[in-house]
Amino acid sequence: MDLTSEGDTLCLNRDAPWDSFDSQSYMQHNYSALRTDDEEIINVVRDYFSDHFRTNPERPVSGIDVGAGANLYPAFSLLPWCDQITLYERSAQNAAWLRNQVPRYDDSWAPFWQVLCKEEEYQDITDPRARFKHSVTVEEGDLFRLPERLRNQGVGTMFFVAESLSTSHREFEGAVAAFIGSLAPGAPFAAAFMENSGGYWVGDDLFPACEVGSAEVEASLDPHATVKTLRRFGLPEGPVREGYTGMILACGRRDPA
Ligand SMILES: C[S@@+](CC[C@H](N)C(=O)[O-])C[C@H]1O[C@@H](n2cnc3c(N)ncnc32)[C@H](O)[C@@H]1O
């Protein structure tokens, strides 16, 4: 499909103002308190990774959170299984925000960690701040140009990125493929998506999104991965912002080579 066939209101990934992303405003708006929908997502991710690594005990592995932005909970979900976690992020602002959190993340993240601690592998980490500081590296870069050395990860997460980086369904599919391409064959992942997002404001900037539902998420993963869990979450507390209808979570494994 030619990009131009998607319509003339296309805003591609390269067109959006990533380097002026207001990380603090995004974090305040979305993650200053733990919402019920994020809690439900964390419950499923925690149980999925815990079950996976119980039956596949090879670890530690390396992990990646693609498009980490100003959200630490996907990286938290990787902590028990990884000796090295890369937070890969295109926006210079978000990379700087993340680097600032690595030595000592803010107290407001403690409730997110507590949800993970319902499983014993997370409870076993007595000092999550020290473990985070020790394990996490922030790397600025474009997921469409992921370096070869980052392409064999043992576990990965990508939250609210593939559908939230342009209005192009072709780029959505490309971003999902690039994320799965960062994983070793058989490696587990968790990926979350905003459902039917029409774009989002961060501070004074409008960022693009493309509208996807469970069918599009499933179709984007199908050529590369086996999905074990596909869940849609409604909006029990109402939307965190205008312009979307729910959240979708997919957990699964990259297909063998
Ligand atoms: C809606 S935010 C999601 C942030 C975070 N993962 C979360 O769960 O809230 C989208 C993120 O994707 C990042 N991003 C956009 N295009 C990217 C690209 N080509 N490569 C890597 N990250 C990208 C943005 O900078 C931003 O941090």
Side-chain angles (χ1 to χ4, degrees):
M1 181 174 56
D2 181 0
L3 276 178
T4 53
S5 70
E6 291 188 277
D8 48 14
T9 55
L10 211 56
C11 175
L12 294 178
N13 186 238
R14 61 167 182 261
D15 301 326
W18 300 111
D19 282 341
S20 38
F21 199 102
D22 184 340
S23 322
Q24 193 58 30
S25 158
Y26 180 84
M27 192 286 288
Q28 273 301 326
H29 189 77
N30 292 286
Y31 303 120
S32 53
L34 174 63
R35 289 169 51 89
T36 308
D37 38 20
D38 283 313
E39 183 170 358
E40 286 180 15
I41 286 176
I42 296 169
N43 282 331
V44 178
V45 174
R46 176 199 65 217
D47 292 350
Y48 179 70
F49 285 152
S50 300
D51 287 349
H52 173 88
F53 284 103
R54 247 170 242 145
T55 44
N56 301 271
E58 73 289 353
R59 57 177 208 248
V61 296
S62 60
I64 191 164
D65 181 33
V66 173
N71 182 8
L72 300 187
Y73 81 68
F76 285 174
S77 76
L78 303 176
L79 270 189
W81 331 112
C82 297
D83 56 355
Q84 161 65 38
I85 299 170
T86 303
L87 306 186
Y88 194 74
E89 172 52 56
R90 175 171 185 160
S91 155
Q93 294 285 351
N94 283 340
W97 183 91
L98 288 163
R99 283 195 192 96
N100 200 40
Q101 292 291 312
V102 171
R104 191 181 186 285
Y105 59 74
D106 293 340
D107 292 343
S108 60
W109 292 101
F112 295 82
W113 177 253
Q114 282 313 315
V115 180
L116 290 163
C117 285
K118 289 176 192 152
E119 278 288 353
E120 66 175 329
E121 287 85 353
Y122 294 89
Q123 274 165 36
D124 288 346
I125 300 176
T126 50
D127 187 346
R129 270 203 178 109
R131 183 71 165 265
F132 192 82
K133 177 181 173 181
H134 173 79
S135 310
V136 167
T137 309
V138 179
E139 185 160 335
E140 208 176 309
D142 180 349
L143 66 84
F144 294 113
R145 294 185 176 79
L146 202 72
E148 199 58 45
R149 71 189 150 73
L150 290 178
R151 286 197 189 163
N152 206 27
Q153 304 290 323
V155 58
T157 49
M158 181 173 72
F159 274 50
F160 314 121
V161 174
E163 79 298 351
S164 296
L165 51 65
S166 83
T167 59
S168 161
H169 283 84
R170 184 177 171 179
E171 286 195 328
F172 162 72
E173 287 169 6
V176 170
F179 167 57
I180 300 296
S182 74
L183 303 174
F189 67 84
F193 306 86
M194 303 300 273
E195 182 188 60
N196 295 320
S197 175
Y200 53 105
W201 287 94
V202 182
D204 296 332
D205 291 308
L206 180 61
F207 287 89
C210 76
E211 291 190 19
V212 298
S214 299
E216 286 81 11
V217 167
E218 207 168 2
S220 69
L221 286 162
D222 189 55
H224 320 287
T226 302
V227 173
K228 302 275 186 211
T229 302
L230 186 73
R231 287 269 302 270
R232 176 185 181 273
F233 299 86
L235 304 168
E237 290 176 28
V240 68
R241 61 168 171 79
E242 286 181 6
Y244 72 107
T245 54
M247 297 178 183
I248 298 161
L249 175 71
C251 299
R253 297 176 70 169
R254 182 179 175 174
D255 286 336

